[in-house]
Amino acid sequence: MNNFEFKNPTKIIFGKDTIHKITEEIPSDAKILMLYGGGSIKKNGVYEQVKTALAKADVVEFGGIPANPEYAVLMDALKVIKEENITYLLAVGGGSVIDGTKFLSAAAVYEGEEPWDFVRKREPIQKGMPFGTVLTLPATGSEMNSGTVISRKETQEKLAFGGPALFPQFSVLDPQVITSIPERQLVNGITDAFTHVLEQYMTYPAGGLLQDRFAESILQTLIEIAPRVIKDPSDYEAAANFMWSCTMALNGLIQQGVPGDWAVHMMGHELTAMYGIDHARTLAVVAPSHYKYNFEAKKEKLAQYGERVWNITEGSIDDKAYAAIEKTEAFFKGLGIDTKLSDYTSDYEGTAEKIAQRFTDRGWKGLGERQALTPQDAEKIVKMAY
Ligand code: NZQ
Ligand code: ZN
């Protein structure tokens, strides 16, 4: 196991009817900007719950943050922050609203001219405006981590960055919010969280016995609750386990002391930037090809995952590893998620070359757990995913 230092300062308030507790977390003299997405919160009662809780507070609203939070829209929100002398941000939404709020937290105190500069530089963000979240969509783990992903249509970019200042101060997780989530987004959430675990697990054996079992338990829980959540999102026990699994999949815990990959996400972000494909679906497109292409380097962990998560007991390490990739792809397909790029666009020729060129231009010479995956490797993997 590698050395590590781990600090996660986000307070989690989990459970039924907990949204009103935000009043205890936000300073009473704060001037709050409440941020939300395209309006789902106005239909499912979350908006009213937040407004009721904040009845005595000084609140300005900013709605309309789109999925894959868009830089231009966030720049409008930044204007409101400056004009209204906002001191506290409250994200009410899924990963996109939370990520947009994280960007704004950093942008609000940024002294440079153009906030996109700090997005591109990807240096750890050390200061930001305080913020909290009310999560409405289990998926990304953004509610308990310090990462964010921002999109910019103008340049077709989608870039991840983060830093110690970008942990939410608190996040309210009321699993009842999932009852209004359309099936498309529910299965996206399951797939995203599942792949987050894989990115931190599917590397090489590193002696992290506990980390491996944490990871496997999250995967097993997601597999177990997936059909229940899809069948009946008002099944509270399933919803609660779904929500907590998604948070635990990417709050830093399972990655401590072990190598991480994240190449699937890096390639997937490009597919969203180019074609607007839902984040989780890009992962389902890239992951099977990624694991086949890197089979030799990853087969021991693939076989362990096959044995422990999918109960594959027959055959050699290679057989189990290969069967594990097939099981993973079948799991995504069983959720109704297509796993080939051509399922999403007919205009895919040249995509792989373009991604390789972007990685080269950005100086991303070596991705993956050994920093050995070159832009040319990425090109081959994306081609396999056509
Ligand atoms: O905008 P509204 O109207 O609220 O509708 C949203 C949106 O259309 C809807 N929704 C959310 N909660 C709902 C609901 N509809 C009904 N009932 C509810 N309770 O769902 C749609 C998708 O929302 P979005 O926030 O975009 O989804 P998600 O949470 O999957 O976030 C995706 C974004 O997060 C980034 C992705 O790249 C993408 O930009 N990620 C962030 C990560 C992080 N910060 O750690 C890690 C991830 O790997 C990921 O990259
Ligand atoms: Zn993800």
mmCIF file of all heavy atoms in Angstrom, residues 219-237:
data_model
loop_
_atom_site.group_PDB
_atom_site.id
_atom_site.type_symbol
_atom_site.label_atom_id
_atom_site.label_comp_id
_atom_site.label_asym_id
_atom_site.label_seq_id
_atom_site.Cartn_x
_atom_site.Cartn_y
_atom_site.Cartn_z
ATOM 1 N N LEU A 219 -19.488 -1.944 -5.799
ATOM 2 C CA LEU A 219 -19.948 -2.526 -7.073
ATOM 3 C C LEU A 219 -21.083 -3.522 -6.825
ATOM 4 O O LEU A 219 -22.111 -3.495 -7.517
ATOM 5 C CB LEU A 219 -18.782 -3.228 -7.789
ATOM 6 C CG LEU A 219 -17.621 -2.325 -8.206
ATOM 7 C CD1 LEU A 219 -16.446 -3.159 -8.724
ATOM 8 C CD2 LEU A 219 -18.053 -1.317 -9.267
ATOM 9 N N GLN A 220 -20.897 -4.384 -5.824
ATOM 10 C CA GLN A 220 -21.942 -5.386 -5.537
ATOM 11 C C GLN A 220 -23.252 -4.724 -5.125
ATOM 12 O O GLN A 220 -24.334 -5.166 -5.507
ATOM 13 C CB GLN A 220 -21.466 -6.325 -4.421
ATOM 14 C CG GLN A 220 -20.408 -7.297 -4.921
ATOM 15 C CD GLN A 220 -19.751 -8.059 -3.786
ATOM 16 O OE1 GLN A 220 -19.388 -7.478 -2.760
ATOM 17 N NE2 GLN A 220 -19.580 -9.361 -3.950
ATOM 18 N N THR A 221 -23.147 -3.655 -4.342
ATOM 19 C CA THR A 221 -24.365 -2.970 -3.895
ATOM 20 C C THR A 221 -25.080 -2.335 -5.090
ATOM 21 O O THR A 221 -26.304 -2.412 -5.211
ATOM 22 C CB THR A 221 -24.021 -1.906 -2.827
ATOM 23 O OG1 THR A 221 -23.237 -2.522 -1.803
ATOM 24 C CG2 THR A 221 -25.275 -1.319 -2.213
ATOM 25 N N LEU A 222 -24.292 -1.707 -5.983
ATOM 26 C CA LEU A 222 -24.914 -1.091 -7.165
ATOM 27 C C LEU A 222 -25.604 -2.151 -8.028
ATOM 28 O O LEU A 222 -26.717 -1.936 -8.522
ATOM 29 C CB LEU A 222 -23.864 -0.333 -7.982
ATOM 30 C CG LEU A 222 -23.380 0.981 -7.358
ATOM 31 C CD1 LEU A 222 -22.138 1.502 -8.067
ATOM 32 C CD2 LEU A 222 -24.482 2.042 -7.388
ATOM 33 N N ILE A 223 -24.954 -3.291 -8.197
ATOM 34 C CA ILE A 223 -25.568 -4.367 -8.999
ATOM 35 C C ILE A 223 -26.861 -4.840 -8.336
ATOM 36 O O ILE A 223 -27.877 -5.065 -8.998
ATOM 37 C CB ILE A 223 -24.573 -5.545 -9.169
ATOM 38 C CG1 ILE A 223 -23.391 -5.123 -10.042
ATOM 39 C CG2 ILE A 223 -25.269 -6.767 -9.767
ATOM 40 C CD1 ILE A 223 -22.191 -6.077 -9.990
ATOM 41 N N GLU A 224 -26.822 -4.942 -7.011
ATOM 42 C CA GLU A 224 -27.995 -5.444 -6.283
ATOM 43 C C GLU A 224 -29.173 -4.471 -6.335
ATOM 44 O O GLU A 224 -30.319 -4.878 -6.551
ATOM 45 C CB GLU A 224 -27.588 -5.705 -4.821
ATOM 46 C CG GLU A 224 -28.675 -6.350 -4.001
ATOM 47 C CD GLU A 224 -28.180 -6.691 -2.580
ATOM 48 O OE1 GLU A 224 -26.955 -6.883 -2.379
ATOM 49 O OE2 GLU A 224 -29.033 -6.739 -1.674
ATOM 50 N N ILE A 225 -28.883 -3.183 -6.149
ATOM 51 C CA ILE A 225 -30.018 -2.245 -6.056
ATOM 52 C C ILE A 225 -30.497 -1.736 -7.427
ATOM 53 O O ILE A 225 -31.609 -1.211 -7.514
ATOM 54 C CB ILE A 225 -29.727 -1.060 -5.103
ATOM 55 C CG1 ILE A 225 -28.460 -0.307 -5.452
ATOM 56 C CG2 ILE A 225 -29.692 -1.516 -3.656
ATOM 57 C CD1 ILE A 225 -28.595 0.720 -6.481
ATOM 58 N N ALA A 226 -29.675 -1.900 -8.471
ATOM 59 C CA ALA A 226 -30.049 -1.330 -9.779
ATOM 60 C C ALA A 226 -31.466 -1.720 -10.208
ATOM 61 O O ALA A 226 -32.282 -0.841 -10.508
ATOM 62 C CB ALA A 226 -29.012 -1.709 -10.838
ATOM 63 N N PRO A 227 -31.790 -3.015 -10.231
ATOM 64 C CA PRO A 227 -33.158 -3.352 -10.686
ATOM 65 C C PRO A 227 -34.245 -2.798 -9.780
ATOM 66 O O PRO A 227 -35.325 -2.421 -10.259
ATOM 67 C CB PRO A 227 -33.170 -4.896 -10.682
ATOM 68 C CG PRO A 227 -31.921 -5.348 -10.011
ATOM 69 C CD PRO A 227 -30.982 -4.194 -9.933
ATOM 70 N N ARG A 228 -33.959 -2.716 -8.487
ATOM 71 C CA ARG A 228 -34.979 -2.187 -7.563
ATOM 72 C C ARG A 228 -35.210 -0.697 -7.780
ATOM 73 O O ARG A 228 -36.349 -0.221 -7.778
ATOM 74 C CB ARG A 228 -34.538 -2.422 -6.107
ATOM 75 C CG ARG A 228 -34.693 -3.868 -5.665
ATOM 76 C CD ARG A 228 -34.106 -4.104 -4.280
ATOM 77 N NE ARG A 228 -34.764 -3.348 -3.219
ATOM 78 C CZ ARG A 228 -34.348 -3.339 -1.952
ATOM 79 N NH1 ARG A 228 -33.286 -4.052 -1.601
ATOM 80 N NH2 ARG A 228 -34.984 -2.632 -1.041
ATOM 81 N N VAL A 229 -34.114 0.027 -7.979
ATOM 82 C CA VAL A 229 -34.233 1.478 -8.179
ATOM 83 C C VAL A 229 -34.997 1.778 -9.469
ATOM 84 O O VAL A 229 -35.845 2.670 -9.515
ATOM 85 C CB VAL A 229 -32.820 2.106 -8.210
ATOM 86 C CG1 VAL A 229 -32.860 3.510 -8.774
ATOM 87 C CG2 VAL A 229 -32.201 2.102 -6.818
ATOM 88 N N ILE A 230 -34.696 0.996 -10.514
ATOM 89 C CA ILE A 230 -35.351 1.242 -11.803
ATOM 90 C C ILE A 230 -36.837 0.871 -11.714
ATOM 91 O O ILE A 230 -37.699 1.589 -12.207
ATOM 92 C CB ILE A 230 -34.653 0.436 -12.921
ATOM 93 C CG1 ILE A 230 -33.216 0.942 -13.101
ATOM 94 C CG2 ILE A 230 -35.426 0.526 -14.235
ATOM 95 C CD1 ILE A 230 -32.319 -0.007 -13.847
ATOM 96 N N LYS A 231 -37.117 -0.233 -11.048
ATOM 97 C CA LYS A 231 -38.510 -0.702 -10.946
ATOM 98 C C LYS A 231 -39.351 0.260 -10.122
ATOM 99 O O LYS A 231 -40.486 0.587 -10.495
ATOM 100 C CB LYS A 231 -38.519 -2.096 -10.295
ATOM 101 C CG LYS A 231 -39.884 -2.747 -10.265
ATOM 102 C CD LYS A 231 -39.772 -4.236 -9.969
ATOM 103 C CE LYS A 231 -41.152 -4.810 -9.694
ATOM 104 N NZ LYS A 231 -41.303 -5.265 -8.321
ATOM 105 N N ASP A 232 -38.767 0.734 -9.021
ATOM 106 C CA ASP A 232 -39.565 1.560 -8.116
ATOM 107 C C ASP A 232 -38.664 2.559 -7.363
ATOM 108 O O ASP A 232 -38.177 2.264 -6.275
ATOM 109 C CB ASP A 232 -40.301 0.654 -7.112
ATOM 110 C CG ASP A 232 -41.128 1.463 -6.127
ATOM 111 O OD1 ASP A 232 -41.321 2.680 -6.374
ATOM 112 O OD2 ASP A 232 -41.575 0.878 -5.120
ATOM 113 N N PRO A 233 -38.487 3.747 -7.938
ATOM 114 C CA PRO A 233 -37.611 4.727 -7.276
ATOM 115 C C PRO A 233 -38.134 5.175 -5.906
ATOM 116 O O PRO A 233 -37.400 5.812 -5.152
ATOM 117 C CB PRO A 233 -37.591 5.909 -8.256
ATOM 118 C CG PRO A 233 -38.133 5.393 -9.540
ATOM 119 C CD PRO A 233 -39.018 4.236 -9.210
ATOM 120 N N SER A 234 -39.381 4.815 -5.584
ATOM 121 C CA SER A 234 -39.865 5.190 -4.249
ATOM 122 C C SER A 234 -39.561 4.104 -3.207
ATOM 123 O O SER A 234 -39.959 4.228 -2.047
ATOM 124 C CB SER A 234 -41.363 5.502 -4.288
ATOM 125 O OG SER A 234 -42.081 4.329 -4.568
ATOM 126 N N ASP A 235 -38.857 3.053 -3.618
ATOM 127 C CA ASP A 235 -38.356 2.035 -2.678
ATOM 128 C C ASP A 235 -37.224 2.708 -1.887
ATOM 129 O O ASP A 235 -36.104 2.837 -2.363
ATOM 130 C CB ASP A 235 -37.869 0.834 -3.506
ATOM 131 C CG ASP A 235 -37.157 -0.229 -2.678
ATOM 132 O OD1 ASP A 235 -36.807 0.040 -1.515
ATOM 133 O OD2 ASP A 235 -36.952 -1.319 -3.228
ATOM 134 N N TYR A 236 -37.556 3.164 -0.675
ATOM 135 C CA TYR A 236 -36.607 4.012 0.065
ATOM 136 C C TYR A 236 -35.297 3.306 0.369
ATOM 137 O O TYR A 236 -34.220 3.890 0.254
ATOM 138 C CB TYR A 236 -37.234 4.527 1.380
ATOM 139 C CG TYR A 236 -36.282 5.450 2.118
ATOM 140 C CD1 TYR A 236 -36.119 6.779 1.710
ATOM 141 C CD2 TYR A 236 -35.506 4.984 3.172
ATOM 142 C CE1 TYR A 236 -35.213 7.618 2.356
ATOM 143 C CE2 TYR A 236 -34.598 5.824 3.820
ATOM 144 C CZ TYR A 236 -34.456 7.144 3.399
ATOM 145 O OH TYR A 236 -33.559 7.970 4.020
ATOM 146 N N GLU A 237 -35.387 2.035 0.733
ATOM 147 C CA GLU A 237 -34.142 1.324 1.077
ATOM 148 C C GLU A 237 -33.211 1.252 -0.140
ATOM 149 O O GLU A 237 -32.005 1.490 -0.031
ATOM 150 C CB GLU A 237 -34.470 -0.086 1.567
ATOM 151 C CG GLU A 237 -33.263 -0.783 2.142
ATOM 152 C CD GLU A 237 -33.567 -2.220 2.518
ATOM 153 O OE1 GLU A 237 -33.438 -3.106 1.656
ATOM 154 O OE2 GLU A 237 -33.933 -2.434 3.686
#
